[in-house]
Structure formats: structure tokens, C-alpha cells
């Protein structure tokens, strides 16, 4: 191994260590004291409930663990958005589980909580996966009600999705394991089957205090909406459980008896591990934003047997396209090549930049994968499309539009891995969040932004200087440097993978070595949903 490999490895392992520390802190939710309080009430925590529900020693992935990270500081924060969302296996069946974390503001809904719940429901609907709600929530966080209550993608959309999923035949099971109040009371009752835990679970549109204020009735919460009331008097819930574990055991029994689903029919054979060491990824990824590396070497460490059959290998070299298998699943890979390449005409092309020929190649390859029903995997490390008179005269906008069209209209499931840079229109063409990837996740080395920090800071600096000049202020060299550093520091915070994950622009930040697991589970989930419409590019300029 050379010195650059060692430097890269040290850099990327430090990023990974930082990621693991942040994740460990987030998993504490509202903190150890609140976890102990939950235990004292005879309740499991959200994460304990999910872990108990999933099959022993089975694989699972967590969606949106960094949701809310660094947000709502004035309200005390909202770790993981106050809700745990995982995809895993219950009695061998793949499911999505949503569990309110009552250690975070009593499980109240912040704006990001609503966004995360909707993302979980979207995944369930796209993949026709059973969805399980473990309810323990005080309802909408009232100080921010205007950002969570009335709009299309707010709280009410949850219940709309309950109804739509029911009509689609997607199983929904809800267990009320704590508070379930006001509008939130509709969620379990709009599910197919509802459970409630005795003495700790409660469901009502208005609690005892509000009932007293509204109509003058004196009543305690247990009599108003406890397990006995709803299982024996109102008939609102279907099963009464003595404690959390009994409720989760009941859910396991219900899932165990579900029939199988129609399959999409994606190709899978027995999985093989990569021949090349996946751990080498840490040393291959450069320790700076502009460093070159061969994306082909990364691919060899992600795919079965390190076998990658390239499509149009000698053409459009700044994008790699080809067929491989990941954990046995057949996939089509579209990846940005990050090293400088030479064309047949002897011209040099910058790595990570999309040129007309590479966009044209990718468009054709995406169409081929749709024709053959092969899921697509996008590996992003892109700075954007090539600029300048030669590219403009050559029709780069037209060729880029064709690629965006193909990505937009693709009907096979798409999965996006943000490895390094994800800038500007390159993010769009390489299946960014706006283009409906079934899952989109980032490595700790990722950055998402309109452009890189240095370029953006230079542009913003020019704007700031012009503004100060109009005011008659003189800009010294020292002042200019201070302004640049201030602007870049602020911009760099916004391009961080944690900033993106906090806002659910990505589903997760993961260890690169977990990439195969995420893609495999994603394709398995997608295989539950047969493709229902043909691939059609629509109108494009040729």
C-alpha cells in the first residue's frame, strides 16, 4: 500500500469514528434519565420494542436516524425526529416499523417527525410492505403546530396514507403502548388491526383535563380511554395486552399468518462476497474533495465476486455503466468516474464531470435496464455537467435533459449511494432525492450542495464585496480573507452529510461496508411490488 492509501484510510476511518459517536448519542433519545423513567413505568423504549419485534439475529436497517440532528435547539432538540423507523424481518416477513420515542418530548410530533413518518409510509407504499406502528405519543408539538398541522405534507397526510394503503391491500397493524391523543387517535383505528397495552396505553380525542374544561365532566384517563374501555365497551381496539412484550408477541403472531405477496420478479442467484477486500474502500477514497480515484475499484469492492460487466466501456468514460450482482441480486450500476480520462480523440476529460457522451451512454443504459427489468444503483461522486462554449455548442443541456428524462421515467426500482460530491444538476441526473430512489443514503465522505464550498464561497464573496462597495466601504486584503473564511465555514456546515440527513434529504448515513446490505434489503423490499406501467421516455430532443 502506498502513502496516499494510508493517508486516505486514516482520514476516512476518522470520519467513520465521528459518525459512530454521533449515532451512539442519538440512540439515547431523550437521555438516560428519561429512559430509566420509561422503564420505571413498566414500558420498553422505542428501540427496545423494535428490537424485540424483529427476528433474532436478523438484518435490519434504520431510516432517518439523523433526522432532526442539530435542529430545534431552542426547543431542546429532537433526536432522531422523536421516532424510530426501521426495515427488518418479523417472522421472516420484511416489514417497516414506526415507533414513537416517548423519551423525546413525550413522543410529540415536530415538523421533522411528520416528514419522517411520511417517508416511512412512502417506503411501505412503494414496496407494498406491511407497516407496524408502535404508538406512544403526546400528539402535535403545540409550540410548532403551524409547521406540522395544516399543509398537504403535514400531520393529516398520515391518516390519508392509512386509508390509501388499506385500499392497496398493504397490511397495517398498530399497537398503542402509551399516549395516543387528539387527531393521532385516528392512526391506530385506521389501521387494519389495533392493540392496546393495559394500564399504560390510552386513546382519546381529548384527555380528562380538556374534557373537564370543555363539558365539565369529571373522569380519569383510564376510564375515559384505557384498554378495558376500548376493548370491552367502545370496540375501538381489537386486542388487549398485559404489557409491551405481550403486545409485540401478538403482532408477531398476526404477521406470521399473513399470506405471501405477488413478486416483481427481479433476478437473484446465490450471493457471493467480493473478491477484493471491501475494507480497502477507506484507503481508496481520497482525503479531499478534488482527489482523483478509480470508481471501478470501489465497484469491485461492492459487487459479488468483484465482477462488473461494463456497458460501452470505451465511450463516455466519466460515467461507468454496467451489470453486476449485489448479494445475489442482478443490478445495473451507473457511477461517476472520479479520475481524469482520455477520449479516443486524445482529449482529456475531468473526473466527476458529466459530458455529453457520458450522459448519452447513461441514458441508453438506463433504458436497457428498464427493458430487462433490472434494478438500478447510482453511485454519486459528481461535480455537475461540463460547462464552456464547446460543451454548450455540443448540446450538453440537451444530452443532460435526456439523462434526467430517463432517470425520471424509470420504472425499475432505483437506489442511490452518495459517496462523495453531489453537486448541482449532477445530483439530479444521478437520481437525487427528487427522482424517487427507493432508498438514498450517504457515506460519511459525502457532500450535497449546489456547488462545492470553495466555488460557492468565491461567488458569495463577490456578491458581498459588491454590496459593501456600494455602501462605500473599503475591503482590505485581511477583511476579504475573513469574509471568505466566514462564508465558507457557514456554507460547509450546510453541505455536510449530517445536515442533509437531518432534513431527510437522504435516508441515512452509513458505514461504506454496509452498502451491500442496504441495497440488498432495498431490492428485496421492491420485489414485493410488481411493476405496473411500461417504461416510456416521452418527448426528448435527439
Amino acid at each position: 500500500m502506498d502513502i496516499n492509501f494510508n493517508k486516505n484510510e486514516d482520514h476516512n476511518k476518522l470520519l467513520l469514528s465521528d459518525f459512530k459517536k454521533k449515532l451512539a448519542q442519538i440512540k439515547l433519545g431523550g437521555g438516560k434519565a428519561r429512559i430509566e423513567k420509561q422503564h420505571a413505568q413498566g414500558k420498553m423504549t422505542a428501540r427496545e420494542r423494535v428490537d424485540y419485534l424483529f427476528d433474532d439475529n436478523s438484518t435490519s436497517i434504520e431510516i432517518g436516524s439523523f433526522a432532526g440532528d442539530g435542529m430545534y435547539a431552542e426547543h431542546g432538540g429532537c433526536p432522531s425526529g422523536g421516532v424510530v423507523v426501521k426495515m427488518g424481518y418479523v417472522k421472516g416477513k420484511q416489514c417497516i416499523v414506526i415507533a414513537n420515542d416517548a423519551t423525546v418530548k413525550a413522543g410529540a410530533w415536530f415538523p421533522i417527525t411528520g416528514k419522517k413518518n411520511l417517508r416511512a409510509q412512502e417506503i411501505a407504499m412503494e414496496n407494498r410492505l406491511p407497516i407496524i406502528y408502535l404508538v406512544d405519543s403526546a400528539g402535535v408539538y403545540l409550540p410548532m403546530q403551524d409547521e406540522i398541522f395544516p399543509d398537504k405534507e403535514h400531520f393529516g397526510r398520515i391518516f390519508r396514507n392509512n386509508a390509501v394503503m388499506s385500499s392497496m391491500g398493504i397490511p397495517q397493524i398498530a399497537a398503542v403502548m402509551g399516549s395516543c391523543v387528539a387527531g393521532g387517535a385516528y392512526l391506530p383505528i385506521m389501521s387494519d388491526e389495533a392493540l392496546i397495552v393495559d394500564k399504560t396505553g390510552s386513546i382519546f380525542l381529548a384527555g380528562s383535563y380538556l374534557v373537564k374544561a370543555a363539558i365539565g365532566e369529571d373522569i380519569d384517563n383510564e376510564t375515559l380511554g384505557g384498554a378495558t374501555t376500548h376493548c370491552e365497551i367502545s370496540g375501538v381496539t381489537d386486542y388487549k395486552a398485559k404489557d409491551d412484550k405481550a403486545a409485540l408477541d401478538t403482532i408477531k403472531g398476526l404477521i406470521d399468518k399473513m399470506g405471501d405477496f405477488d413478486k416483481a420478479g427481479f433476478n437473484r442467484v446465490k450471493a457471493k462476497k467480493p473478491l477484493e477486500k471491501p475494507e480497502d474502500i477507506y484507503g481508496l477514497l481520497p482525503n479531499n474533495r478534488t482527489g482523483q480515484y478509480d470508481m471501478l475499484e470501489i465497484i469491485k469492492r461492492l459487487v459479488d465476486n468483484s465482477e462488473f460487466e461494463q456497458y460501452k466501456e470505451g465511450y463516455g468514460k466519466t460515467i461507468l455503466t454496467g451489470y453486476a450482482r449485489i448479494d445475489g441480486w442482478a443490478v445495473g450500476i451507473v457511477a461517476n468516474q472520479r479520475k481524469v480520462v482520455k477520449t479516443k480523440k486524445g482529449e482529456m476529460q475531468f473526473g466527476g464531470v458529466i459530458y455529453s457522451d457520458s450522459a448519452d451512454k447513461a441514458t441508453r443504459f438506463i433504458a436497457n435496464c428498464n427493458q430487462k427489468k433490472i434494478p438500478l444503483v447510482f453511485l454519486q461522486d459528481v461535480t455537475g455537467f461540463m460547462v464552456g462554449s464547446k460543451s454548450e455548442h455540443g448540446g450538453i443541456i440537451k444530452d443532460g435533459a435526456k439523462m434526467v428524462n430517463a432517470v425520471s421515467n424509470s420504472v425499475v426500482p432505483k437506489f442511490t449511494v452518495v459517496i462523495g460530491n453531489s453537486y448541482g444538476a449532477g445530483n439530479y441526473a444521478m437520481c437525487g432525492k427528487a427522482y424517487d430512489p427507493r432508498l438514498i443514503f450517504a457515506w460519511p465522505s459525502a457532500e450535497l450542495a449546489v456547488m462545492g464550498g470553495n466555488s460557492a464561497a468565491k461567488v458569495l464573496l463577490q456578491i458581498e464585496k459588491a454590496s459593501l462597495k456600494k455602501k462605500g466601504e473599503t475591503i482590505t486584503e485581511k477583511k476579504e480573507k475573513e469574509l471568505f473564511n466566514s462564508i465558507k465555514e457557514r456554507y460547509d456546515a450546510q453541505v455536510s452529510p449530517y445536515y442533509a440527513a437531518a432534513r431527510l434529504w437522504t435516508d441515512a448515513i452509513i458505514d461504506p461496508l454496509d452498502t451491500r446490505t442496504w441495497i440488498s434489503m432495498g431490492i428485496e423490499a421492491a420485489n414485493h411490488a410488481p411493476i405496473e406501467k411500461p417504461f416510456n421516455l416521452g418527448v426528448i430532443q435527439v
Side-chain angles (χ1 to χ4, degrees):
M1 298 297 178
D2 62 23
I3 189 68
N4 285 332
F5 185 98
N6 292 334
K7 287 181 178 178
N8 291 342
E9 186 175 45
D10 289 345
H11 172 78
N12 286 304
K13 285 190 173 180
L14 280 173
L15 289 180
L16 185 65
S17 175
D18 186 46
F19 155 72
K20 288 181 176 178
K21 286 176 185 175
K22 287 176 181 285
L23 188 58
Q25 184 61 40
I26 280 171
K27 286 185 175 180
L28 291 175
K32 292 180 179 179
R34 289 180 181 170
I35 290 172
E36 289 171 6
K37 183 179 179 181
Q38 185 124 338
H39 288 160
Q41 294 170 342
K43 296 162 65 176
M44 303 165 74
T45 65
R47 293 185 180 278
E48 289 168 346
R49 288 165 177 167
V50 176
D51 289 345
Y52 182 83
L53 186 60
F54 284 157
D55 297 342
D56 292 339
N57 302 314
S58 64
T59 305
S60 65
I61 58 176
E62 183 170 352
I63 309 297
S65 54
F66 283 93
D69 182 49
M71 300 167 67
Y72 314 121
E74 67 276 23
H75 297 280
C78 187
S80 224
V83 63
V84 177
V85 174
K86 283 192 174 185
M87 180 191 295
Y89 300 90
V90 180
K91 292 296 182 178
K93 289 185 172 62
Q94 205 173 19
C95 302
I96 290 283
V97 181
I98 301 174
N100 298 115
D101 186 351
T103 70
V104 180
K105 289 285 192 294
W109 287 55
F110 283 69
I112 198 66
T113 317
K115 188 173 183 179
K116 185 170 173 178
N117 274 265
L118 289 170
R119 175 61 179 144
Q121 288 185 321
E122 180 182 41
I123 291 170
M125 287 189 283
E126 285 179 330
N127 300 294
R128 306 290 176 89
L129 287 181
I131 187 164
I132 300 165
Y133 308 96
L134 306 180
V135 184
D136 193 348
S137 171
V140 167
Y141 183 62
L142 290 178
M144 302 188 76
Q145 64 85 27
D146 61 322
E147 296 182 47
I148 182 63
F149 173 65
D151 209 349
K152 180 178 178 180
E153 298 296 328
H154 283 179
F155 193 64
R157 189 77 170 180
I158 303 292
F159 315 132
R160 175 264 185 195
N161 286 350
N162 288 145
V164 170
M165 282 191 280
S166 183
S167 72
M168 293 170 68
I170 298 170
Q172 299 176 83
I173 299 172
V176 179
M177 311 179 83
S179 297
C180 183
V181 301
Y186 287 104
L187 185 146
I189 313 313
M190 294 190 74
S191 300
D192 301 333
E193 294 180 278
L195 304 83
I196 186 168
V197 178
D198 196 22
K199 300 299 185 288
T200 56
S202 58
I203 308 171
F204 34 66
L205 295 181
S208 56
Y209 292 121
L210 186 53
V211 167
K212 174 67 174 176
I215 64 173
E217 180 184 2
D218 283 308
I219 190 169
D220 63 90
N221 282 336
E222 183 64 25
T223 306
L224 181 65
T228 299
T229 294
H230 286 310
C231 287
E232 300 177 21
I233 300 172
S234 72
V236 163
T237 49
D238 307 307
Y239 307 92
K240 179 163 74 170
K242 67 176 182 178
D243 55 25
D244 282 7
K245 286 187 176 181
L248 298 169
D249 286 336
T250 300
I251 293 173
K252 291 180 184 184
L254 295 172
I255 295 288
D256 189 40
K257 297 169 184 66
M258 285 183 183
D260 206 354
F261 306 91
D262 294 336
K263 298 291 192 292
F266 301 123
N267 185 293
R268 192 182 198 186
V269 299
K270 185 177 180 181
K272 296 180 181 178
K273 293 181 178 179
L275 289 180
E276 303 288 348
K277 287 173 57 181
E279 294 83 3
D280 288 348
I281 287 172
Y282 303 128
L284 292 168
L285 280 177
N287 56 30
N288 61 76
R289 306 316 307 175
T290 58
Q292 295 180 41
Y293 65 96
D294 189 350
M295 181 64 84
L296 185 59
E297 294 302 317
I298 300 291
I299 292 172
K300 287 179 181 178
R301 286 153 178 84
L302 295 177
V303 302
D304 289 17
N305 218 34
S306 297
E307 293 175 347
F308 181 55
E309 187 177 348
Q310 286 204 58
Y311 171 82
K312 290 185 180 289
E313 182 178 354
Y315 179 74
K317 292 183 178 181
T318 64
I319 285 184
L320 300 173
T321 53
Y323 304 103
R325 289 189 183 276
I326 293 179
D327 198 33
W329 294 103
V331 296
I333 294 175
V334 181
N336 302 112
Q337 176 57 287
R338 272 311 311 250
K339 67 177 185 178
V340 173
V341 298
K342 183 183 289 187
T343 69
K344 291 293 183 182
K345 296 178 182 178
E347 298 171 333
M348 304 304 292
Q349 293 184 340
F350 297 106
V353 179
I354 302 175
Y355 290 77
S356 283
D357 55 356
S358 48
D360 179 67
K361 175 172 84 170
T363 301
R364 181 65 181 263
F365 180 72
I366 290 166
N368 278 341
C369 287
N370 276 272
Q371 183 85 345
K372 295 185 283 189
K373 206 159 72 170
I374 300 174
L376 285 159
V377 175
F378 292 83
L379 304 180
Q380 285 194 6
D381 194 344
V382 57
T383 54
F385 285 87
M386 190 57 190
V387 297
S389 60
K390 185 176 180 181
S391 292
E392 298 293 359
H393 296 171
I396 185 67
I397 295 175
K398 177 181 65 177
D399 292 319
K402 285 193 289 187
M403 184 176 174
V404 170
N405 193 315
V407 172
S408 303
N409 286 299
S410 180
V411 296
V412 295
K414 299 167 290 194
F415 302 89
T416 302
V417 188
V418 187
I419 290 176
N421 303 321
S422 180
Y423 298 156
N427 169 282
Y428 300 161
M430 290 295 293
C431 197
K433 183 67 181 285
Y435 293 81
D436 298 321
R438 295 293 176 96
L439 293 171
I440 176 170
F441 47 95
W443 291 358
S445 50
E447 282 192 359
L448 290 85
V450 171
M451 62 181 73
N454 273 321
S455 300
K458 287 174 184 176
V459 172
L460 293 168
L461 177 63
Q462 295 307 312
I463 295 170
E464 184 69 17
K465 283 170 64 178
S467 174
L468 292 172
K469 191 175 181 180
K470 281 183 181 178
K471 295 175 183 177
E473 295 186 31
T474 304
I475 308 297
T476 63
E477 187 175 327
K478 181 182 178 183
K479 176 70 173 174
E480 183 173 328
K481 188 175 181 181
E482 288 174 353
L483 268 174
F484 177 83
N485 290 336
S486 173
I487 291 168
K488 188 174 185 302
E489 185 178 341
R490 187 169 67 248
Y491 192 87
D492 284 347
Q494 294 180 359
V495 304
S496 157
Y498 297 100
Y499 191 91
R503 288 151 183 81
L504 290 173
W505 300 344
T506 60
D507 291 317
I509 302 169
I510 69 164
D511 182 338
L513 302 189
D514 292 331
T515 303
R516 282 169 54 86
T517 297
W518 272 73
I519 292 171
S520 177
M521 285 197 72
I523 298 175
E524 183 181 347
N527 204 36
H528 288 90
I531 296 171
E532 295 176 344
K533 65 177 182 177
F535 175 65
N536 188 338
L537 274 179
V539 177
I540 58 171
Q541 288 186 319
V542 293

